[in-house]
Amino acid sequence: MANRPEGLPDHIQHYINGDNVDSISGETFDVLEPTTNETYIQCASGDKEDVDRAVKAARKAFDEGPWPRMLPRARARILYKIADEVEKVNAELAAIESFDSGLPIRQAQGQANRAAENFRFFADLIVAQVDDAFRMPGRQVNYVNRKPKGVAGLITPWNTPFMQESWKLAPALASGCTVILKPAEFTPTSASLWPAIFEKAGLPKGAFNMVQGFGETAGDALVKHPDVNLISFTGETTTGQLIYANCAPHMKSMSMELGGKSPAVIFADADFEAALDSTLFGVYSLNGERCTASSRILVERSIYDKFVEAYAERSKKVKVGDPSDPDTEIGALVHPEHYERVMEYVEIGKQEGRLIAGGGRPEGLDKGNYLQATAFADVPRDARIFQEEIFGPVVAITPFDSEEEALELANDVKYGLAAYVWTNDVQRAHNFAHNIESGMVWINSHNVRDLRTPFGGVKASGLGQEGGYRSLDFYSDQQSIHITLGDVHTTRFGATGYAENDLGLGGPSA
Ligand code: NAD
């Protein structure tokens, strides 16, 4: 096993109402280190009773505490302090994230800055926020009274876990909600940095709570708890479907960021080298464990052979190794269960397509969840490796002959999260992008986004969109207030009845 990161506690606990606590039952689970799959720490395993305790604390902080009642500027000040505290743990976080999830250290290094930026961004938004007001001169004024929605349940996945957690924590807290975070059970360790960050920044007690544990127990109890007003979930589509059904009895608000099988469509007129670099990085960075990975590459026939050859050559040179080595490009996949699933797809791919690179464990790395950068060419559209999310460093490459065929192939999957289009024809780039069934499209670019833009998927990739003001809308209720300015004109039932020209519909209309 690589060196255990410094500063870790003996075991990982929940954080409820300002205290680090064990499970009421005392239950814990093993957390594995992915280069050896040896247990390196125990984590408290939350259950219904622990979730109940956390919800009570969050409810009390919401109903009676200062956080939802503070002026936006006062909340923003604390959010800025949180961002500063997050940046201070940059090196520690990178070491933990890399050790716990197998992410190459260089790719783990930017995560704290990105997480900090989420807090600063939403702090700025709440201070600058304007809500609608509508005036009917002399008759009525109508305005929106924005209110935090209540207690938010935040359920997050194991890929770049700390950053994903910040993406929910920042807008939920900025909106004035109180929260219960349920981190992913494969990667609970980096979340144990949050309590000290929030305490140092002065977040009131009970506004942030965290219950660790499995989805089927802790996650399920959070979703079904009647005092949790909304659920923000990121994870697999099948889990999302189950949570959707479990939210229904309480009519909870839901936001779902789910799986993807995103196409990169490369036309012959594109900048070949730029498209090659981007599609290699798009599926091999973050170990391929990236929801927006360009895991299907569609290439125009006239450049197909050249592209496949170049892609294979570069894939074979991608450096797979110890996540703590700064030169490593692909580290170890997160967990043996996930590794086994990805390896099954690699074997399926060998029947369905032409293996052009990788396809197995790299030489010299006999244990741990290592897989070579793996590419298949000539993959037909009905292949499982074309249709299903693999979530590892595995890519399917397919040729197309016309723009129509490219669009059909791009859209012929159940997912619709991201898409990438490579062409130098401006008109085609826009028209093609508009017709792709996906929540986000990058033209001649890879996954870089402005935090103000909508983020989310269509079809099986998600429900609702977050990003910028949309995130604040999700965590808020927008109450309409209507005030009459002049005399109240009410049809006098039981007295004079309908007056002339009175439609009997009540107040004024625009
Ligand atoms: P997962 O669905 O297995 O788990 C996600 C979270 O849900 C975990 O915290 C888990 O404990 C919890 N959970 C599981 N069952 C639950 C239940 N019945 N009730 C409540 N909570 C439950 O997903 P994962 O394997 O951790 O993450 C990988 C998936 O996440 C991939 O499909 C990936 O595409 C997706 N993802 C999507 C985005 C996006 O923004 N669209 C971002 C990152 C990851």
Side-chain angles (χ1 to χ4, degrees), residues 204-216:
K205 207 163 91 164
F208 166 77
N209 303 275
M210 174 169 71
V211 177
Q212 297 276 8
F214 293 98
E216 297 73 18

Side-chain angles (χ1 to χ4, degrees), residues 155-159 164 182-185 214-216 219-220 223 233-236 239 242-243 257-260 291 389 391 417 455:
I155 303 178
T156 49
W158 47 258
N159 61 325
Q164 298 271 356
K182 208 302 279 169
E185 57 269 39
F214 293 98
E216 297 73 18
D220 187 65
V223 169
F233 170 75
T234 301
E236 277 186 25
T239 317
L242 183 62
I243 291 179
E257 305 288 358
L258 308 176
C291 57
E389 184 182 45
F391 222 56
L417 188 58
F455 184 96

Side-chain angles (χ1 to χ4, degrees), residues 128-152:
Q129 181 147 38
V130 272
D131 279 310
D132 292 331
F134 309 91
R135 195 172 60 94
M136 278 185 285
R139 292 186 148 200
Q140 204 179 44
V141 167
N142 313 267
Y143 66 91
V144 171
N145 176 38
R146 182 178 286 269
K147 303 196 278 193
K149 205 161 232 160
V151 174

Side-chain angles (χ1 to χ4, degrees), residues 63-84:
D63 291 343
E64 299 166 24
W67 189 246
R69 289 159 195 86
M70 281 163 82
L71 289 175
R73 172 61 77 199
R75 274 210 297 272
R77 282 209 176 98
I78 294 183
L79 295 169
Y80 263 92
K81 284 189 190 151
I82 294 170
D84 294 344

Side-chain angles (χ1 to χ4, degrees), residues 51 177 387 422 490:
V51 168
C177 289
Q387 293 289 335
W422 290 88
T490 311

Side-chain angles (χ1 to χ4, degrees), residues 60-366:
K60 191 161 190 287
F62 187 79
D63 291 343
E64 299 166 24
W67 189 246
R69 289 159 195 86
M70 281 163 82
L71 289 175
R73 172 61 77 199
R75 274 210 297 272
R77 282 209 176 98
I78 294 183
L79 295 169
Y80 263 92
K81 284 189 190 151
I82 294 170
D84 294 344
E85 292 302 325
V86 167
E87 274 175 352
K88 285 184 201 162
V89 299
N90 189 21
E92 196 182 344
L93 172 69
I96 292 177
E97 214 71 304
S98 174
F99 185 83
D100 189 39
S101 71
L103 195 65
I105 186 73
R106 288 281 284 272
Q107 297 171 39
Q109 267 155 3
Q111 301 297 321
N113 293 342
R114 289 188 63 191
E117 211 38 46
N118 284 332
F119 284 95
R120 289 204 185 96
F121 173 76
F122 285 107
D124 290 343
L125 276 199
I126 54 166
V127 172
Q129 181 147 38
V130 272
D131 279 310
D132 292 331
F134 309 91
R135 195 172 60 94
M136 278 185 285
R139 292 186 148 200
Q140 204 179 44
V141 167
N142 313 267
Y143 66 91
V144 171
N145 176 38
R146 182 178 286 269
K147 303 196 278 193
K149 205 161 232 160
V151 174
L154 313 176
I155 303 178
T156 49
W158 47 258
N159 61 325
T160 57
F162 190 85
M163 211 289 293
Q164 298 271 356
E165 290 153 13
S166 75
W167 178 233
K168 295 189 190 303
L169 287 166
L173 290 170
S175 304
C177 289
T178 59
V179 306
I180 298 124
L181 172 68
K182 208 302 279 169
E185 57 269 39
F186 284 177
T187 54
T189 310
S190 56
S192 62
L193 296 171
W194 287 120
I197 289 169
F198 289 132
E199 281 174 16
K200 285 181 191 157
L203 186 74
K205 207 163 91 164
F208 166 77
N209 303 275
M210 174 169 71
V211 177
Q212 297 276 8
F214 293 98
E216 297 73 18
T217 48
D220 187 65
L222 190 57
V223 169
K224 291 180 179 164
H225 201 294
D227 253 355
V228 174
N229 303 91
L230 67 140
I231 294 289
S232 177
F233 170 75
T234 301
E236 277 186 25
T237 299
T238 47
T239 317
Q241 286 166 327
L242 183 62
I243 291 179
Y244 196 176
N246 288 338
C247 281
H250 296 288
M251 297 291 289
K252 289 188 189 187
S253 301
M254 268 177 314
S255 167
M256 302 239 156
E257 305 288 358
L258 308 176
K261 191 75 186 177
S262 302
V265 183
I266 306 174
F267 288 97
D269 66 347
D271 178 334
F272 186 90
E273 288 302 322
L276 181 65
D277 286 345
S278 172
T279 48
L280 284 155
F281 185 79
V283 76
Y284 296 144
S285 61
L286 307 184
N287 296 343
E289 297 162 333
R290 180 199 269 278
C291 57
T292 50
S294 50
S295 52
R296 291 183 297 143
I297 308 178
L298 312 175
V299 187
E300 193 160 8
R301 182 86 61 186
S302 58
I303 56 162
Y304 183 71
D305 289 342
K306 180 180 165 199
F307 182 85
V308 167
E309 196 183 319
Y311 203 92
E313 197 186 314
R314 289 274 295 275
S315 296
K316 286 174 193 162
K317 292 185 192 151
V318 169
K319 195 167 178 308
V320 184
D322 191 324
S324 65
D325 179 342
D327 290 334
T328 290
E329 293 170 327
I330 295 180
L333 303 196
V334 69
H335 192 274
E337 276 171 33
H338 178 61
Y339 181 69
E340 204 178 306
R341 200 174 143 261
V342 172
M343 293 309 263
E344 274 171 30
Y345 276 111
V346 171
E347 291 313 308
I348 292 167
K350 289 177 186 170
Q351 310 301 316
E352 292 181 327
R354 175 164 61 96
L355 182 69
I356 56 164
R361 186 180 273 285
E363 253 180 65
L365 295 170
D366 301 331

